[in-house]
Amino acid sequence: MESSAPRTAVVWRVLRHELERAGRPLNALDVGGGTGGFAVPLARAGHTVTVVDPSPDALAALTRRAAEAGVGERVRAVQGDGDGLADLVAPESVDLVLCHSLLEVVDDPHKVVAALAGTLRPGGAASVVVANRVAAVLARAIQGHLAASAALVAGPDGRADARDRLRRRYTAETATTLLDESGLTVEQVHGVRVVADLVPGTVAESEAEALAAFELAVAGTPPYRDIATQLHLLARRA
């Protein structure tokens, strides 16, 4: 199963442990899963995956990718978005739900997380990736955009200004609170891309294995975790 790539190695390590813990084929749901970067590898590993995404083009690419990988029968594409998830997926029908880089852009993250939790069977797990407010503050300050950096610090949602492509960003604490409020217990928090976005591109290419190893080594340790570009939370429904 993928991937040892530095940008996703941490997420895949957590997912692999979750799959090994289950010890059986799972029914997975990837909300906003696009072209199947996670869904197709999961299907290759023997799991059944439903991908919900608003883009018909992305879902068409997903279907082609799954067919080319020989797992078309284990990947289902459903057009829709996180806000309407309750109408697309049966309650308590999913063992593992992925929600990566979605809560930053939806209209109502609380509604989406509640819907995610509702799809999970008791004991099921949610893999959630969110943009990290702290990393965005530091990145803008280093680039000399001090006003935008200050706005990210002061704003309630971690948004720089009206031109910001994200509606909100999170810290480990605010993301944990969001999941807790929907009945999901956060078990792990890791940083994703602690330094992968900071090293020169030539280093990322020539030292990919070493970079991935470094990311894995520091992903769970504050303060390194807390300055990563993204945060990955694994939460469970009781």
Side-chain angles (χ1 to χ4, degrees), residues 30-35 51-56 58-59 78-81:
D30 190 352
V31 185
T35 61
V51 176
V52 174
D53 197 279
S55 168
L59 293 177
V78 177
Q79 188 173 357
D81 55 37

Side-chain angles (χ1 to χ4, degrees), residues 52-200:
V52 174
D53 197 279
S55 168
D57 291 339
L59 293 177
L62 162 70
T63 301
R64 290 193 299 271
R65 186 175 185 175
E68 291 168 359
V71 294
E73 75 284 356
R74 288 201 293 272
V75 177
R76 183 169 71 104
V78 177
Q79 188 173 357
D81 55 37
D83 292 329
L85 190 61
D87 298 323
L88 302 172
V89 180
E92 297 191 359
S93 63
V94 175
D95 302 299
L96 173 66
V97 60
L98 278 61
C99 179
H100 296 172
S101 302
L102 180 66
L103 298 179
E104 303 92 327
V105 297
V106 296
D107 292 335
D108 186 344
H110 293 86
K111 180 179 178 181
V112 172
V113 173
L116 295 177
T119 68
L120 284 171
R121 296 185 177 112
S127 169
V128 178
V129 175
V130 294
N132 183 9
R133 181 199 289 239
V134 175
V137 169
L138 293 176
R140 281 166 173 75
I142 291 169
Q143 293 163 3
H145 305 307
L146 298 181
S149 183
L152 282 166
V153 172
D157 294 322
R159 195 177 190 210
D161 52 42
R163 295 169 296 177
D164 197 331
R165 65 183 182 83
L166 299 184
R167 294 184 177 188
R168 61 192 68 84
R169 292 177 178 83
Y170 296 88
T171 63
E173 292 74 22
T174 60
T176 297
T177 297
L178 175 62
L179 299 183
D180 284 346
E181 288 173 349
S182 291
L184 297 174
T185 301
V186 175
E187 296 180 346
Q188 301 177 45
V189 182
H190 291 93
V192 179
R193 292 151 54 195
V194 175
V195 298
D197 293 343
L198 303 177
V199 300

Side-chain angles (χ1 to χ4, degrees), residues 38-58:
F38 281 85
V40 171
L42 286 172
R44 282 179 179 155
H47 308 284
T48 300
V49 190
T50 297
V51 176
V52 174
D53 197 279
S55 168
D57 291 339

Side-chain angles (χ1 to χ4, degrees), residues 1-21 38 127 188-192 194 212-221 232 234:
M1 195 166 49
E2 297 178 13
S3 159
S4 60
R7 289 171 175 266
T8 57
V10 172
V11 178
W12 276 113
R13 180 173 66 177
V14 174
L15 289 177
R16 279 194 293 270
H17 287 171
E18 180 63 24
L19 299 175
E20 291 167 1
R21 176 183 183 274
F38 281 85
S127 169
Q188 301 177 45
V189 182
H190 291 93
V192 179
V194 175
F214 181 85
E215 290 282 337
L216 291 169
V218 301
T221 306
H232 180 237
L234 185 79

